[in-house]
Amino acid sequence: MRIGLDMMGGDFAPLEAVKGVKLFLDTVATNVHLVLIGDEQALLPLIADAQLDQSKYSIVHSSQVIGMNEHPTKALKEKQQSSIAIGFYLLQHKKIDAFISAGNTGAMMVGAIYSIKPIDGIQRPTISTPLPREDGSANTLLDAGINADCKPENLVQFAVLGSLYSQYILGVPQPKVGLLNIGEEEGKGNLLAQATYPLLKENEQIHFIGNVEGRDVFTDKADVVVCEGFTGNVILKMAESFYDLSVRRNIQDEYIARFDFETYGGTPVLGVSEPVIIGHGISKATAFKNMIVLAEKMIETKLLDKIKESFPTKVE
């Protein structure tokens, strides 16, 4: 199993990326071979200091970096020797089995959609975010910000993708799916919610439990919470602020500590044909390690095969 890691992506790269690789290799018993994509001149001294096991990694040199504020499509086209462009080239040509980056999110989405393509039948790939629950588990919220405007059919596909992710990656046997709304009763909400509800209700691929409200997203009422990306991203950023607030106020709480994004690392792009994981721009060592663990689990569980089986017909 070969997992590609963009060593130049993120505000603290490449140092924190190297620390994350060391943390993974030192703490996770695995047969993963890491393909480290980045500027050799910058990487080699850091790798030497980290004393990485040379049998567990290889380096693919990249001479360019896509900045966090660059235009995604333009940058990918003009910077063919960037770490992100090379990562997608390796993934597209089966040289690696998954690709991870904490770099330019837009460039990662463009690369995922146009280099390795969406799975047949999927209209829009999506990203999710975990929402911690008090019992130690987590709900899955999607879309978390990629698709700000959606059609009812998009939300139904997000529900199927979220259910598969919850089942095979998080280990939930029969995930309960809830539609995020302003009331529990059928018929509540805006036009999108009203049109989506009956489609979810009749879909036999999911266990739909009806509407869920904002107060339900951190409880066990639903395992998968579905909404369009505008609302989802607001909830994600609000959830992240809980942890920041607790740090500023020196509040020590085991549950609130789980809102630290480093705990989860990154989010997969669900709906594309190869495993792609996008990390937070301020990712540090723990986040990089956890992204590698997630990529390994996606490959081991054959999640993408399960998704392909659930979307057998191509949508034109």
Side-chain angles (χ1 to χ4, degrees):
M1 184 188 305
R2 296 170 65 86
I3 295 176
L5 181 61
D6 172 14
M7 303 298 288
M8 312 307 292
D11 295 347
F12 304 109
L15 177 59
E16 291 297 327
V18 172
K19 288 182 178 179
V21 169
K22 179 173 177 57
L23 190 58
F24 174 79
L25 295 178
D26 287 351
T27 60
V28 181
T30 179
N31 64 348
V32 168
H33 183 87
L34 296 174
V35 179
L36 311 182
I37 307 163
D39 184 342
E40 275 188 315
Q41 189 173 355
L43 288 177
L44 288 175
L46 299 175
I47 289 174
D49 288 343
Q51 297 181 319
L52 302 183
D53 183 344
Q54 294 183 6
S55 68
K56 295 290 187 178
Y57 73 90
S58 55
I59 298 174
V60 174
H61 177 66
S62 66
S63 57
Q64 297 173 309
V65 177
I66 295 178
M68 299 298 268
N69 297 317
E70 290 191 62
H71 187 279
T73 306
K74 182 180 179 183
L76 270 177
K77 183 177 181 181
E78 295 180 353
K79 292 187 172 180
Q80 292 292 302
Q81 293 305 308
S82 65
S83 49
I84 289 179
I86 290 173
F88 279 113
Y89 176 86
L90 295 174
L91 188 61
Q92 184 180 13
H93 291 83
K94 309 295 184 183
K95 303 294 185 182
I96 55 178
D97 301 302
F99 178 47
I100 299 166
S101 176
N104 186 304
T105 300
M108 286 295 290
M109 286 302 301
V110 170
I113 293 172
Y114 293 103
S115 294
I116 60 173
K117 310 295 183 183
I119 291 170
D120 284 352
I122 291 181
Q123 298 167 347
R124 293 189 188 181
T126 181
I127 59 172
S128 65
T129 185
L131 299 175
R133 303 198 301 213
E134 286 188 84
D135 64 1
S137 62
N139 294 332
T140 299
L141 173 77
L142 67 173
D143 183 278
I146 293 299
N147 300 289
D149 295 297
C150 293
K151 298 177 180 179
E153 294 80 6
N154 302 142
L155 297 193
V156 173
Q157 292 199 342
F158 297 166
V160 175
L161 290 168
S163 293
L164 293 169
Y165 182 78
S166 181
Q167 181 179 352
Y168 291 102
I169 301 300
L170 302 182
V172 181
Q174 190 181 22
K176 298 173 291 185
V177 176
L179 175 65
L180 189 61
N181 211 326
I182 59 172
E184 295 182 350
E185 303 84 2
E186 184 174 354
K188 282 275 191 174
N190 58 16
L191 293 176
L192 176 60
Q194 291 176 25
T196 302
Y197 191 106
L199 299 182
L200 292 173
K201 189 176 180 180
E202 69 186 23
N203 191 295
E204 297 181 354
Q205 291 181 286
I206 61 173
H207 176 37
F208 181 56
I209 61 160
N211 292 325
V212 294
E213 299 179 271
R215 61 187 174 188
D216 301 318
V217 297
F218 302 113
T219 72
D220 61 359
K221 184 170 183 178
D223 303 299
V224 178
V225 179
V226 178
C227 61
E228 91 299 333
F230 185 93
T231 302
N233 192 260
V234 170
I235 291 175
L236 166 61
K237 298 298 173 56
M238 181 183 68
E240 289 180 344
S241 75
F242 294 164
Y243 177 74
D244 296 335
L245 182 63
S246 72
V247 172
R248 289 197 302 271
R249 297 180 64 85
N250 196 28
I251 297 171
Q252 303 295 323
D253 184 90
E254 184 179 350
Y255 173 63
I256 297 297
R258 293 178 54 229
F259 283 81
D260 180 6
F261 75 91
E262 291 260 359
T263 305
Y264 307 99
T267 180
V269 182
L270 296 174
V272 293
S273 57
E274 301 290 344
V276 174
I277 296 173
I278 298 175
H280 206 299
I282 56 174
S283 293
K284 292 189 176 180
T286 301
F288 281 106
K289 184 207 86 169
N290 287 334
M291 283 189 275
I292 300 169
V293 171
L294 175 56
E296 182 182 20
K297 194 165 188 180
M298 288 180 69
I299 296 167
E300 287 180 341
T301 60
K302 301 186 185 301
L303 175 63
L304 295 190
D305 289 343
K306 307 294 192 305
I307 293 174
K308 290 171 185 176
E309 291 167 5
S310 299
F311 293 87
T313 307
K314 186 173 183 178
V315 174
E316 298 296 342

